[in-house]
């Protein structure tokens, strides 16, 4: 089972703290920097309607349509999640079109080439952009840690088994009480 972040709309207050935490966690060199239009690229989005507010992000699907649509093999299963190999991504947008949840984006970033040991920006490059579960972050997804109402949580095999065990225990107690 792939891990993913789930949102509880009954707890979400629409504060967008998760979006800010996501952008800060993926802000290149890891140093705090003021957010701007150029570097505010969250991999999670808060959606607001008249009656519901919730966060949406990659579901890390078991049979991921984005992975199956990628002609370059840039989307892979790694560490019980769906990840993007940016070195292989050509920005073709097939993954974006294939995502049934509309959470895959294609963004532009500076294209960097190395000449004689010196890295130089040579323009821009399009690349796929989605939740990566903050795999480089030891504490786990920044959005989960920053949510003030605990509306976000990581779902993995262990948490599903615990939820099922709790449900079975409650069901057994309620059937005995009847």
């Amino acid at each position: 089972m792939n891990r993913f972040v789930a949102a509880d709309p009954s707890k979400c207050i629409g504060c967008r703290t998760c979006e800010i935490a996501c952008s800060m966690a993926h802000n290149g060199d890891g140093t705090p920097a003021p957010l701007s239009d150029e570097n505010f690229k969250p991999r999670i989005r808060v959606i607001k309607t008249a009656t519901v507010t919730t966060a949406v992000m990659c579901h890390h699907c078991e049979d991921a349509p984005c992975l199956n649509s990628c002609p370059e093999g840039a989307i892979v299963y790694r560490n019980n999640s769906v990840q993007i190999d940016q070195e292989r991504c050509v920005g073709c947008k097939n993954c974006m079109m294939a995502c049934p949840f509309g959470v895959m984006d294609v963004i532009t970033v500076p294209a960097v080439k190395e000449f004689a040991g010196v890295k130089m920006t040579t323009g821009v490059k399009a690349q796929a952009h989605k939740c990566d579960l903050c795999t480089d972050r030891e504490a786990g997804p920044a959005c989960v840690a920053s949510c003030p109402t605990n509306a976000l949580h990581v779902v993995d095999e262990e948490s599903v088994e615990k939820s099922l065990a709790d449900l079975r225990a409650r069901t057994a107690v309620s059937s005995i009480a009847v």
Side-chain angles (χ1 to χ4, degrees):
M1 172 182 166
N2 285 337
R3 298 172 350 174
F4 61 97
V5 174
D8 182 348
S10 69
K11 292 182 179 179
C12 182
I13 58 174
C15 65
R16 299 182 69 199
T17 300
C18 55
E19 291 181 359
I20 294 166
C22 179
S23 286
M24 297 292 286
H26 293 92
N27 203 11
D29 61 7
T31 58
L35 290 177
S36 65
D37 288 341
E38 291 81 37
N39 67 4
F40 185 72
K41 296 177 179 166
R43 299 158 189 242
I44 183 172
R45 258 185 249 116
V46 173
I47 304 296
K48 298 178 183 185
T49 70
T51 57
V52 176
T53 301
T54 193
V56 293
M57 74 290 309
C58 179
H59 292 225
H60 295 272
C61 304
E62 293 298 319
D63 187 22
C66 61
L67 183 146
N68 296 326
S69 72
C70 183
E72 299 299 319
I75 303 175
V76 297
Y77 290 112
R78 187 173 43 236
N79 300 327
N80 295 320
S81 62
V82 177
Q83 299 293 325
I84 301 169
D85 178 353
Q86 294 297 353
E87 296 297 317
R88 297 185 75 163
C89 181
V90 296
C92 68
K93 300 181 184 170
N94 283 359
C95 55
M96 189 173 83
M97 299 300 292
C99 179
F101 302 102
V103 295
M104 178 70 80
D105 285 323
V106 173
I107 62 170
T108 56
V109 296
V112 177
K113 299 271 186 191
E114 190 170 323
F115 298 103
V118 177
K119 291 184 179 183
M120 300 176 66
T121 302
T122 60
V124 294
K125 174 188 187 297
Q127 69 180 28
H129 185 72
K130 67 168 213 62
C131 172
D132 64 358
L133 294 172
C134 292
T135 55
D136 295 337
R137 192 171 179 272
E138 203 171 297
C143 59
V144 173
S146 70
C147 182
T149 61
N150 296 315
L152 302 173
H153 61 277
V154 176
V155 176
D156 57 16
E157 199 160 350
E158 183 180 319
S159 68
V160 169
E161 291 298 325
K162 183 182 181 317
S163 294
L164 288 173
D166 292 347
L167 179 61
R168 287 184 196 111
R170 283 195 313 271
T171 303
V173 169
S174 65
S175 65
I176 293 170
V178 174

